[in-house]
Amino acid sequence: MNPVPASYHGVWQRTLLRLADGSEDTTTRVFWLQSEHLHADLRIPDPCPTLPRERIRLSGFAGLTEATETRCQWHRAIDFHPDSGTDIGNMRFINADEVHETALDDSYLEIWQRLPDSVGVVEQTWLHSADGTGRRACLLRAGDYFMFAADRPLRLSGRLSLQHYLQHESARDVDLLLGCELTFGRIQGGEQPWQILYSTLSASSGSLFPLTVDAQPWAELPVAALGIYPPENGWRRAPLPRLQDLNKEILV
Protein backbone atom coordinates (compact mmCIF):
# COMPACT_ATOMS: atom_id res chain seq x y z
CA MET A 1 0.00 0.00 0.00
CA ASN A 2 1.45 3.37 -1.03
CA PRO A 3 2.28 5.89 1.70
CA VAL A 4 0.02 8.92 2.07
CA PRO A 5 1.51 12.07 0.49
CA ALA A 6 3.41 14.20 3.00
CA SER A 7 1.04 17.11 2.32
CA TYR A 8 -1.56 15.26 4.44
CA HIS A 9 0.70 14.61 7.42
CA GLY A 10 -0.28 16.37 10.65
CA VAL A 11 -3.39 17.10 12.68
CA TRP A 12 -6.30 18.72 10.86
CA GLN A 13 -9.11 20.47 12.72
CA ARG A 14 -12.44 20.85 10.98
CA THR A 15 -13.68 24.45 10.99
CA LEU A 16 -16.83 24.00 8.89
CA LEU A 17 -19.24 21.32 7.78
CA ARG A 18 -21.81 22.48 5.23
CA LEU A 19 -24.47 20.07 3.93
CA ALA A 20 -26.25 20.23 0.60
CA ASP A 21 -29.37 21.70 2.25
CA GLY A 22 -27.30 24.67 3.47
CA SER A 23 -27.14 23.65 7.13
CA GLU A 24 -23.77 24.16 8.81
CA ASP A 25 -21.85 22.88 11.83
CA THR A 26 -19.02 24.94 13.29
CA THR A 27 -19.21 23.80 16.92
CA THR A 28 -18.41 20.07 16.84
CA ARG A 29 -14.77 19.51 17.81
CA VAL A 30 -13.26 17.39 15.03
CA PHE A 31 -9.60 16.36 14.85
CA TRP A 32 -8.03 14.14 12.19
CA LEU A 33 -4.43 12.95 12.63
CA GLN A 34 -2.77 11.57 9.52
CA SER A 35 0.49 9.62 9.50
CA GLU A 36 2.25 7.81 6.67
CA HIS A 37 -0.36 5.04 6.44
CA LEU A 38 -2.78 5.39 9.37
CA HIS A 39 -5.39 7.92 10.43
CA ALA A 40 -7.37 8.59 13.60
CA ASP A 41 -10.40 10.88 13.76
CA LEU A 42 -12.29 12.15 16.83
CA ARG A 43 -15.61 14.09 16.78
CA ILE A 44 -17.11 15.56 19.94
CA PRO A 45 -20.31 17.65 19.85
CA ASP A 46 -20.66 20.83 21.91
CA PRO A 47 -21.68 20.51 24.67
CA CYS A 48 -19.95 17.20 25.22
CA PRO A 49 -22.44 14.51 26.28
CA THR A 50 -21.80 13.11 29.77
CA LEU A 51 -24.63 10.67 30.47
CA PRO A 52 -23.83 7.13 29.27
CA ARG A 53 -26.58 6.74 26.68
CA GLU A 54 -26.09 10.31 25.40
CA ARG A 55 -22.53 9.39 24.44
CA ILE A 56 -23.89 7.76 21.29
CA ARG A 57 -23.60 11.28 19.81
CA LEU A 58 -19.80 10.93 19.94
CA SER A 59 -17.92 9.48 17.00
CA GLY A 60 -14.43 8.52 16.02
CA PHE A 61 -12.52 5.98 13.98
CA ALA A 62 -9.06 4.87 12.91
CA GLY A 63 -7.52 2.75 10.18
CA LEU A 64 -5.72 2.80 6.86
CA THR A 65 -5.65 5.75 4.46
CA GLU A 66 -5.38 5.72 0.68
CA ALA A 67 -4.72 9.16 -0.79
CA THR A 68 -3.61 11.16 -3.77
CA GLU A 69 -3.34 14.93 -3.89
CA THR A 70 -6.96 15.13 -5.08
CA ARG A 71 -8.77 12.22 -3.42
CA CYS A 72 -8.65 10.50 -0.03
CA GLN A 73 -10.25 7.31 1.28
CA TRP A 74 -10.33 6.36 4.96
CA HIS A 75 -10.70 2.60 5.61
CA ARG A 76 -11.97 2.11 9.16
CA ALA A 77 -10.51 -0.70 11.26
CA ILE A 78 -11.61 0.77 14.62
CA ASP A 79 -14.93 2.62 14.79
CA PHE A 80 -17.08 4.05 17.58
CA HIS A 81 -20.08 3.42 15.30
CA PRO A 82 -19.46 -0.07 13.91
CA ASP A 83 -21.78 0.19 10.89
CA SER A 84 -20.40 3.42 9.43
CA GLY A 85 -18.26 1.80 6.74
CA THR A 86 -15.63 3.72 4.76
CA ASP A 87 -15.24 7.37 3.72
CA ILE A 88 -14.04 8.83 0.45
CA GLY A 89 -13.80 12.47 -0.54
CA ASN A 90 -12.42 14.83 -3.16
CA MET A 91 -9.62 16.96 -1.68
CA ARG A 92 -8.56 20.45 -2.75
CA PHE A 93 -5.56 22.02 -1.03
CA ILE A 94 -6.14 25.77 -0.79
CA ASN A 95 -2.65 26.11 0.66
CA ALA A 96 -0.28 23.93 2.73
CA ASP A 97 -2.43 24.26 5.84
CA GLU A 98 -5.99 24.31 4.49
CA VAL A 99 -7.78 21.58 2.59
CA HIS A 100 -11.40 21.40 1.43
CA GLU A 101 -13.07 17.99 1.36
CA THR A 102 -16.21 17.46 -0.73
CA ALA A 103 -18.37 14.38 -1.11
CA LEU A 104 -18.31 12.56 -4.43
CA ASP A 105 -22.00 13.44 -4.76
CA ASP A 106 -21.52 17.02 -3.47
CA SER A 107 -23.64 16.28 -0.39
CA TYR A 108 -21.20 17.99 1.98
CA LEU A 109 -18.22 20.32 2.25
CA GLU A 110 -15.70 20.09 5.10
CA ILE A 111 -12.98 22.70 5.63
CA TRP A 112 -9.88 21.51 7.46
CA GLN A 113 -7.07 23.59 8.97
CA ARG A 114 -3.74 22.02 9.96
CA LEU A 115 -2.63 22.75 13.53
CA PRO A 116 0.80 24.49 13.42
CA ASP A 117 2.36 22.35 16.16
CA SER A 118 1.43 19.18 14.28
CA VAL A 119 3.96 19.83 11.51
CA GLY A 120 7.09 17.72 11.90
CA VAL A 121 7.77 14.13 12.85
CA VAL A 122 4.99 11.59 12.24
CA GLU A 123 4.97 8.17 13.88
CA GLN A 124 2.59 5.21 13.77
CA THR A 125 2.25 2.04 15.83
CA TRP A 126 -0.36 -0.64 15.21
CA LEU A 127 -1.32 -2.83 18.18
CA HIS A 128 -3.07 -6.17 18.71
CA SER A 129 -4.31 -7.65 21.96
CA ALA A 130 -1.80 -10.18 23.29
CA ASP A 131 -4.60 -12.50 24.47
CA GLY A 132 -5.67 -13.49 20.96
CA THR A 133 -9.13 -11.89 21.18
CA GLY A 134 -8.55 -9.88 18.00
CA ARG A 135 -8.84 -6.41 19.54
CA ARG A 136 -6.90 -3.67 17.77
CA ALA A 137 -5.46 -0.30 18.67
CA CYS A 138 -3.04 2.28 17.33
CA LEU A 139 -0.90 5.11 18.67
CA LEU A 140 -0.12 7.94 16.26
CA ARG A 141 2.00 11.07 16.49
CA ALA A 142 2.19 14.23 14.37
CA GLY A 143 4.50 16.93 15.68
CA ASP A 144 3.53 17.60 19.29
CA TYR A 145 0.15 15.83 19.10
CA PHE A 146 -0.89 12.23 19.60
CA MET A 147 -3.99 10.13 19.07
CA PHE A 148 -4.71 6.75 20.62
CA ALA A 149 -7.51 4.56 19.27
CA ALA A 150 -8.66 1.19 20.63
CA ASP A 151 -11.42 -1.29 19.92
CA ARG A 152 -14.16 -1.63 22.53
CA PRO A 153 -13.87 -4.68 24.81
CA LEU A 154 -16.95 -6.23 23.18
CA ARG A 155 -16.50 -7.25 19.53
CA LEU A 156 -19.45 -6.06 17.43
CA SER A 157 -20.60 -6.90 13.94
CA GLY A 158 -20.16 -4.08 11.44
CA ARG A 159 -23.63 -4.73 10.06
CA LEU A 160 -25.57 -3.44 13.09
CA SER A 161 -25.65 0.05 14.60
CA LEU A 162 -24.42 1.00 18.04
CA GLN A 163 -27.97 2.14 18.80
CA HIS A 164 -29.21 -1.39 18.07
CA TYR A 165 -26.79 -2.89 20.58
CA LEU A 166 -27.65 -0.32 23.24
CA GLN A 167 -31.33 -1.12 22.84
CA HIS A 168 -30.96 -4.90 22.95
CA GLU A 169 -28.03 -5.63 25.27
CA SER A 170 -28.24 -5.68 29.05
CA ALA A 171 -27.63 -2.48 30.98
CA ARG A 172 -24.47 -3.90 32.54
CA ASP A 173 -22.81 -3.91 29.10
CA VAL A 174 -23.48 -0.23 28.28
CA ASP A 175 -20.05 1.02 29.36
CA LEU A 176 -18.34 -1.74 27.39
CA LEU A 177 -20.48 -1.07 24.30
CA LEU A 178 -19.47 2.60 24.52
CA GLY A 179 -15.88 1.63 25.31
CA CYS A 180 -14.36 2.36 21.90
CA GLU A 181 -11.59 4.80 22.80
CA LEU A 182 -10.42 7.72 20.66
CA THR A 183 -8.13 9.99 22.67
CA PHE A 184 -6.36 13.15 21.48
CA GLY A 185 -3.73 15.24 23.24
CA ARG A 186 -0.38 17.00 23.43
CA ILE A 187 2.97 15.28 23.97
CA GLN A 188 4.95 18.13 25.53
CA GLY A 189 2.94 21.30 24.92
CA GLY A 190 0.23 20.68 27.52
CA GLU A 191 0.11 21.08 31.28
CA GLN A 192 1.81 17.69 31.67
CA PRO A 193 3.57 15.28 29.29
CA TRP A 194 1.21 13.30 27.05
CA GLN A 195 -1.75 15.35 28.27
CA ILE A 196 -5.17 14.10 27.17
CA LEU A 197 -7.29 16.94 25.77
CA TYR A 198 -10.36 15.15 24.40
CA SER A 199 -11.62 11.57 24.42
CA THR A 200 -14.69 9.48 23.70
CA LEU A 201 -14.28 8.07 27.23
CA SER A 202 -15.03 10.44 30.10
CA ALA A 203 -12.70 8.45 32.38
CA SER A 204 -9.77 9.17 30.06
CA SER A 205 -8.08 12.23 31.55
CA GLY A 206 -4.70 13.39 32.79
CA SER A 207 -1.80 11.74 31.01
CA LEU A 208 -1.88 8.94 28.43
CA PHE A 209 0.99 7.23 30.22
CA PRO A 210 1.11 6.66 33.99
CA LEU A 211 4.72 7.88 34.19
CA THR A 212 6.57 10.73 32.51
CA VAL A 213 7.57 9.27 29.17
CA ASP A 214 9.68 10.98 26.54
CA ALA A 215 8.41 10.97 22.95
CA GLN A 216 11.66 9.31 21.90
CA PRO A 217 12.54 6.62 21.16
CA TRP A 218 9.08 5.89 19.79
CA ALA A 219 9.67 2.16 19.41
CA GLU A 220 10.31 1.81 23.15
CA LEU A 221 7.17 3.51 24.47
CA PRO A 222 5.40 1.32 27.07
CA VAL A 223 2.25 0.59 25.10
CA ALA A 224 1.09 -2.68 26.75
CA ALA A 225 -1.36 -1.06 29.21
CA LEU A 226 -2.56 1.88 27.13
CA GLY A 227 -6.16 3.01 27.43
CA ILE A 228 -9.06 2.67 29.82
CA TYR A 229 -9.82 -0.92 28.72
CA PRO A 230 -6.49 -2.59 27.89
CA PRO A 231 -6.67 -6.32 27.07
CA GLU A 232 -6.12 -8.76 29.92
CA ASN A 233 -2.62 -9.59 28.68
CA GLY A 234 -1.94 -6.12 27.28
CA TRP A 235 -1.25 -4.80 23.79
CA ARG A 236 1.60 -5.94 21.56
CA ARG A 237 3.07 -4.20 18.55
CA ALA A 238 1.92 -5.69 15.25
CA PRO A 239 2.36 -5.15 11.49
CA LEU A 240 0.02 -2.69 9.83
CA PRO A 241 -3.31 -4.20 8.79
CA ARG A 242 -3.71 -5.19 5.16
CA LEU A 243 -6.29 -3.31 3.13
CA GLN A 244 -7.68 -6.49 1.61
CA ASP A 245 -8.32 -7.88 5.11
CA LEU A 246 -10.25 -4.78 6.15
CA ASN A 247 -12.38 -4.96 3.02
CA LYS A 248 -13.18 -8.62 3.73
CA GLU A 249 -14.34 -7.70 7.23
CA ILE A 250 -16.74 -5.09 5.86
CA LEU A 251 -18.36 -7.74 3.66
CA VAL A 252 -18.84 -10.23 6.50
Side-chain angles (χ1 to χ4, degrees):
M1 183 172 174
N2 294 329
V4 172
S7 54
Y8 285 94
H9 295 178
V11 175
W12 299 85
Q13 182 170 10
R14 194 181 75 186
T15 59
L16 172 68
L17 166 65
R18 178 180 296 136
L19 302 179
D21 62 7
S23 60
E24 296 185 351
D25 177 9
T26 60
T27 61
T28 302
R29 299 182 182 94
V30 183
F31 301 96
W32 155 36
L33 192 157
Q34 184 61 56
S35 68
E36 190 174 13
H37 296 97
L38 299 174
H39 66 267
D41 185 297
L42 172 61
R43 305 181 179 214
I44 299 179
D46 184 27
C48 180
T50 56
L51 297 177
R53 292 186 181 274
E54 290 181 351
R55 286 167 49 208
I56 197 170
R57 296 170 51 220
L58 300 168
S59 61
F61 50 88
L64 289 169
T65 311
E66 285 188 291
T68 67
E69 292 294 341
T70 59
R71 182 166 290 188
C72 192
Q73 185 165 5
W74 299 267
H75 300 274
R76 303 181 180 190
I78 299 166
D79 201 339
F80 192 85
H81 290 275
D83 64 332
S84 54
T86 188
D87 289 337
I88 184 168
N90 294 317
M91 312 297 283
R92 182 165 67 94
F93 282 86
I94 306 305
N95 54 53
D97 298 313
E98 180 176 334
V99 62
H100 292 190
E101 175 192 344
T102 54
L104 302 188
D105 62 359
D106 292 323
S107 60
Y108 71 81
L109 161 70
E110 289 182 301
I111 296 179
W112 301 89
Q113 298 281 346
R114 181 157 47 188
L115 301 182
D117 289 345
S118 72
V119 177
V121 176
V122 292
E123 301 278 9
Q124 55 186 20
T125 296
W126 191 250
L127 304 169
H128 279 183
S129 54
D131 55 15
T133 58
R135 289 182 64 199
R136 298 172 290 196
C138 63
L139 178 63
L140 308 180
R141 174 193 181 183
D144 191 50
Y145 292 93
F146 71 86
M147 288 193 76
F148 172 69
D151 274 337
R152 53 178 50 82
L154 296 178
R155 195 67 183 268
L156 305 182
S157 167
R159 293 174 294 176
L160 299 174
S161 69
L162 181 58
Q163 182 67 54
H164 170 88
Y165 286 103
L166 289 172
Q167 289 174 343
H168 293 86
E169 299 294 332
S170 62
R172 65 179 176 83
D173 290 333
V174 167
D175 285 343
L176 298 182
L177 287 170
L178 294 168
C180 181
E181 181 170 357
L182 280 297
T183 294
F184 171 67
R186 297 291 297 261
I187 298 175
Q188 297 293 337
E191 297 177 355
Q192 57 186 307
W194 296 91
Q195 183 186 7
I196 294 170
L197 300 177
Y198 302 105
S199 179
T200 53
L201 301 185
S202 56
S204 186
S205 61
S207 177
L208 182 68
F209 291 100
L211 302 174
T212 300
V213 175
D214 197 332
Q216 299 292 338
W218 182 264
E220 297 178 10
L221 290 173
V223 297
L226 279 179
I228 299 299
Y229 298 110
E232 183 176 356
N233 296 324
W235 301 106
R236 62 174 177 82
R237 289 177 172 82
L240 293 178
R242 299 189 307 169
L243 183 57
Q244 56 265 42
D245 292 337
L246 294 185
N247 289 337
K248 287 179 184 177
E249 290 179 12
I250 293 172
L251 296 175
V252 172

